[in-house]
């Protein structure tokens, strides 16, 4: 009867397996309570044994891992203790040794900075003393050289040395107190300024005297001294006047060489005179440029070139005016403009009897014609004369073009040197 009420005694109780299969974590009591046969109970007990063995294995693994963790924790504790002791030692070193060292280093750095400052001040003071000493030597040297010896080169050299001393030193109170002496009582700036002005006037006079005497050695001697006394512009000015004077004298000589009819006989006389003028200026620029740049600096020849070009304009204008008067350019131009070109006009008119036409002098119509009578009012400019004038003008223009290119190239170089 009981067997009939429990048909699933062969282990196929579905409710038992549903409870069993809900998961491995289901309570054993629940599974056993649902068992309906001995077989179900055996199966539940077997399952419980398997789960117990699994849990025991897991527990052993956890305990083993826990032991390893405890060992690591112990090692960390040892490291913490070691680091703690080292931190204490480091703190003690910082509070004792390093603190004192930092204070000492700060004190040493401050002392070094103070020493550097004092050393810089000492060097600056020594530099000022040396410069004032140099200034005093220059002042006394200028005064002594301009005295009885009259050694102008030495005096100019001393002024040049003094020009290299800073202005604040020359005008400073220290120099004003220590430089003047019983022989030179004035402040150094006054002494140097007066000496420069005095030497400038002296050099100008001596330069002019040497130029009048034609003494090129003395001209060069005083020309070199102007930059040393701080007056380069004055030296270039007097030198420019000197070379321009030579250009004017040479140009007049070339022009006066044509007196007595030579300029009339030579159809290229004035063109040659203008050519000589340009060649003379070009030689001055080419040969004197090295001397100017040596003593006045690169590019300063441009000042002399400017003066020479002004003189070239004056002398060239004189030559051209004389050429125009001697060749009667204005009259010839007027004659050419008013010429009636009779022969050319007759060629466009109907033929006329030969006796009614009076050809101009030199006209092709006069050749082969029986009429030899010339009308005074029909005189013109000879073709040969026109050709000679054109040749002379062409030569003048060619020489002017060559001269202009030469000066342009020299000026370009000077401007580049000055800009650098």
């Amino acid at each position: 009867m009981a067997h009939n009420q429990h048909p699933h005694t062969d282990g196929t109780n579905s409710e038992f397996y549903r409870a069993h299969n809900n998961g491995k974590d289901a309570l054993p009591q629940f599974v056993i309570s649902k068992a309906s046969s001995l077989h179900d109970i055996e199966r539940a007990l077997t399952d419980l044994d398997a789960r117990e063995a699994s849990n025991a294995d897991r527990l052993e693994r956890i305990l083993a891992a826990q032991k390893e963790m405890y060992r690591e924790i112990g090692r960390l504790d040892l490291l913490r203790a070691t680091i703690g002791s080292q931190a204490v030692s480091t703190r003690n070193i910082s509070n004792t040794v390093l603190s004192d060292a930092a204070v000492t280093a700060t004190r040493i750095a401050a002392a070094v900075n103070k020493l550097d400052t004092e050393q810089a001040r000492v060097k600056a003071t020594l530099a000022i003393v040396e410069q004032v000493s140099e200034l005093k030597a220059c002042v006394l040297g200028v005064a002594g050289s301009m005295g009885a010896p009259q050694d102008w080169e030495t005096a100019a050299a001393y002024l040049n040395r003094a020009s290299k001393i800073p202005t604040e030193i020359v005008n400073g109170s220290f120099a004003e107190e220590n430089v003047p002496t019983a022989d030179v009582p004035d402040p150094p700036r006054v002494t140097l300024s007066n000496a420069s002005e005095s030497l400038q006037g002296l050099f100008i006079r001596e330069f002019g005297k040497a130029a009048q005497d034609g003494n090129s050695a003395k001209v060069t001697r005083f020309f070199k001294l102007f930059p040393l006394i701080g007056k380069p512009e004055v030296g270039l000015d007097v030198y420019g006047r000197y070379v321009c004077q030579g250009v004017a004298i040479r140009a007049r000589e070339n022009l006066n060489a044509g007196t007595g009819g030579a300029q009339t006989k030579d159809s290229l006389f004035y063109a040659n005179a203008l050519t000589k003028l340009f060649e003379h200026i070009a030689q001055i620029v080419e040969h004197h440029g090295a001397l100017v740049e040596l003593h006045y600096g690169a590019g300063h020849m441009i000042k002399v070139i400017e003066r020479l070009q002004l003189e070239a304009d004056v002398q060239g204008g004189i030559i051209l005016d004389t050429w125009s008067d001697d060749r009667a350019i204005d009259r010839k131009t007027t004659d050419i403009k008013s010429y009636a070109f009779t022969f050319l006009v007759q060629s466009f008119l109907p033929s006329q009897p030969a006796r009614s036409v009076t050809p101009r002098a030199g006209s092709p119509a006069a050749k082969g014609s029986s009429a030899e009578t010339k009308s005074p009012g029909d005189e013109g400019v000879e073709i040969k004369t026109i050709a000679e004038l054109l040749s002379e003008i062409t030569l003048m223009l060619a020489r002017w073009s060559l001269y202009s290119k030469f000066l342009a190239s020299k000026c370009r170089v000077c401007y580049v040197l000055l800009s650098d």
Side-chain angles (χ1 to χ4, degrees), residues 163-309:
S163 66
K164 296 180 173 63
I165 300 174
T167 305
E168 58 271 16
I169 299 298
V170 177
N171 298 332
S173 58
F174 184 71
E176 291 183 355
E177 293 176 1
N178 293 275
V179 172
T181 62
D183 297 330
V184 187
D186 294 328
R189 66 176 182 275
V190 176
T191 302
L192 294 175
S193 178
N194 292 339
S196 178
E197 295 298 328
S198 176
L199 288 176
Q200 174 185 327
L202 174 68
F203 293 166
I204 291 175
R205 290 193 302 272
E206 293 297 327
F207 186 96
K209 194 180 301 182
Q212 289 181 353
D213 298 340
N215 190 337
S216 58
K218 290 189 68 176
V219 166
T220 303
R221 173 195 175 191
F222 287 101
F223 174 67
K224 296 187 299 184
L225 298 180
F226 284 100
L228 299 180
I229 63 173
K231 305 292 182 180
E233 67 283 351
V234 177
L236 291 173
D237 182 68
V238 296
Y239 183 74
R241 291 202 302 267
Y242 164 69
V243 293
C244 287
Q245 182 181 0
V247 169
I249 294 174
R250 179 77 65 84
R252 285 196 297 269
E253 290 176 353
N254 293 331
L255 196 59
N256 293 334
T259 56
Q263 71 274 30
T264 304
K265 296 177 183 178
D266 185 0
S267 61
L268 300 177
F269 172 78
Y270 293 102
N272 291 332
L274 197 62
T275 300
K276 292 177 182 178
L277 172 65
F278 294 153
E279 289 178 348
H280 187 201
I281 295 176
Q283 289 175 357
I284 292 175
V285 173
E286 185 69 24
H287 297 155
H288 294 208
L291 178 65
V292 173
E293 294 187 355
L294 176 62
H295 299 286
Y296 286 77
H300 285 83
M301 187 63 186
I302 188 66
K303 301 295 183 181
V304 181
I305 294 176
E306 292 174 356
R307 293 294 299 269
L308 285 171
Q309 183 53 43

Side-chain angles (χ1 to χ4, degrees), residues 3 6-14 17 36-40 43:
H3 180 76
H6 301 281
H8 300 291
T9 57
D10 56 352
T12 60
N13 190 320
S14 59
Y17 282 107
S36 59
S37 64
L38 180 61
H39 180 71
D40 291 340
R43 292 286 299 273

Side-chain angles (χ1 to χ4, degrees), residues 61-187:
R61 289 199 301 270
I62 291 173
L63 291 175
Q66 189 176 14
K67 292 178 180 179
E68 184 66 24
M69 182 180 66
Y70 285 151
R71 282 196 298 270
E72 294 297 331
I73 291 174
R75 189 179 297 111
L76 290 176
D77 289 339
L78 292 176
L79 290 175
R80 183 180 62 180
T82 303
I83 293 174
S85 62
Q86 292 179 353
V88 172
S89 301
T90 303
R91 193 177 299 111
N92 292 332
I93 293 173
S94 176
N95 292 333
T96 57
V97 180
L98 294 182
S99 178
D100 295 340
V103 173
T104 304
T106 303
R107 187 169 59 254
I108 292 174
V112 170
N113 292 334
K114 184 178 180 180
L115 181 61
D116 290 340
T117 302
E118 293 178 354
Q119 186 178 10
R121 290 174 179 173
V122 170
K123 288 182 178 179
T125 304
L126 288 176
I128 294 175
V129 171
E130 290 176 356
Q131 290 172 340
V132 171
S133 177
E134 172 71 4
L135 177 62
K136 185 171 185 178
C138 292
V139 169
L140 296 179
V142 168
S145 301
M146 293 179 64
Q150 294 187 347
D151 189 350
W152 312 129
E153 283 82 0
T154 303
Y158 276 120
L159 281 178
N160 185 48
R161 284 171 54 184
S163 66
K164 296 180 173 63
I165 300 174
T167 305
E168 58 271 16
I169 299 298
V170 177
N171 298 332
S173 58
F174 184 71
E176 291 183 355
E177 293 176 1
N178 293 275
V179 172
T181 62
D183 297 330
V184 187
D186 294 328

